[in-house]
Amino acid sequence: MTRFIVVPQWQGSPSTRSMTLIDGADAIAGDLPRSATVRVDVPIEAGEALGSGIRRFSSLQRTRDLVTAALTEADGAADGASPSGHVLVVGGDCGVAVPAIAHAAALHPDMAVVWFDAHADLHTPESSSSGAFAGMALRSVFETTPLSPDAAVPADRIVLAGAREFDDAETDAVKIAGLTHLGVDDLADPARLADAVAATGAGSVYVHVDLDVLDPAAITGVSAAVPFGIDIPTLTNAIGILRGRFSFAGASVSGFAPPHPEAVVDDMGSVLRVVGALA
């Protein structure tokens, strides 16, 4: 049985309308089974950097600890449940995936990570011009940062999928770290992603989806849309093939930021198809 942890974190986003991520997370939560869903009470304050180089660091740190506690509690609640069950973390900004991946990696040492995102999210506090943690989230999975004291997954077991907007520092990071990157055209082959994961030697997989990986024609409610993304069938088919070939260690979805109530109605069908593929 899939369990859901809803984390309406907005403090990691660089967007001027970052607080719409709260609305997006709550909208998704409204379509989830109540008995299997827990909502994390994210700090309401913006937070302080505290010399970390990360904007709103104090609130992000508190949310990280709350997510970890919720995941631990979910593990306890799942005792005796079906071994196929997993946790789906619903953001908020994509920083919510970092503690979720760390938690899953501790339970699945052979785990690979597939990170669907239009952006690379590979900055450090030193290279980021915004100081927004969302732009550092994937880097925090494989490298020690102020919000990830222990790198959870080695870089050679990470597949960045669908990214098409890189800063120079992020392009360098892909090469230096040795990450596997599959572009939008690569994902047109439905088996290509699963083959890339298999090449890492992993036996299980964690999947994170930032909804801006989708083409703007498929979804309007994201804060940093990038043209020429993937469509819904491509994304859900790729996830389905992954789930057929690997043990599923966990998942997260982030980035739903509807600018107005009508956008919730317009986009919810697409969003729920992604959630369904992950759940």
Side-chain angles (χ1 to χ4, degrees):
M1 180 184 72
T2 303
R3 287 147 287 138
F4 304 90
I5 297 177
V6 178
V7 190
Q9 176 177 283
W10 58 273
Q11 290 93 335
S13 170
S15 172
T16 57
R17 56 183 186 88
S18 57
M19 294 189 74
T20 58
L21 290 164
I22 301 173
D23 301 328
D26 286 343
I28 296 171
D31 280 290
L32 302 178
R34 290 188 180 183
S35 62
T37 302
V38 172
R39 188 183 191 276
V40 171
D41 290 327
V42 172
I44 59 173
E45 64 271 13
E48 302 293 336
L50 302 181
S52 66
I54 299 174
R55 290 173 58 199
R56 308 164 179 159
F57 173 80
S58 60
S59 289
L60 292 166
Q61 188 177 45
R62 174 63 178 152
T63 300
R64 177 200 64 191
D65 295 343
L66 290 170
V67 172
T68 300
L71 288 162
T72 301
E73 186 173 341
D75 288 342
D79 287 346
S82 167
S84 63
H86 62 273
V87 175
L88 172 57
V89 175
V90 177
D93 66 67
C94 59
V96 304
V98 178
I101 290 171
H103 184 85
L107 300 174
H108 303 272
D110 65 346
M111 187 182 88
V113 172
V114 171
W115 189 275
F116 284 101
D117 203 310
H119 310 88
D121 295 349
L122 289 171
H123 276 291
T124 65
E126 294 73 28
S127 70
S128 172
S129 60
S130 69
F133 182 62
M136 311 175 200
L138 182 54
R139 186 74 168 254
S140 298
V141 170
F142 65 87
E143 188 174 288
T144 298
T145 71
L147 281 166
S148 60
D150 299 307
V153 178
D156 61 6
R157 275 198 264 125
I158 292 173
V159 180
L160 175 61
R164 50 200 184 274
E165 187 168 273
F166 293 79
D167 292 334
D168 290 344
E170 294 175 309
T171 300
D172 293 342
V174 171
K175 297 174 183 177
I176 294 169
L179 298 179
T180 299
H181 171 231
L182 297 182
V184 171
D185 290 343
D186 297 319
L187 296 172
D189 178 348
R192 182 78 179 271
L193 180 59
D195 290 343
V197 173
T200 71
S204 59
V205 64
Y206 181 104
V207 178
H208 171 70
V209 176
D210 188 318
L211 291 167
D212 66 17
V213 75
L214 294 168
D215 189 82
I219 188 169
T220 60
V222 296
S223 57
V226 181
F228 309 116
I230 61 177
D231 58 23
I232 293 286
T234 297
L235 177 58
T236 57
N237 287 344
I239 293 170
I241 293 172
L242 282 174
R243 297 192 65 171
R245 289 179 59 176
F246 301 94
S247 172
F248 211 58
S252 45
V253 61
S254 69
F256 187 34
H260 46 75
E262 291 77 12
V264 174
V265 176
D266 293 343
D267 288 335
M268 190 54 71
S270 295
V271 172
L272 292 179
R273 287 179 68 185
V274 176
V275 170
L278 295 170

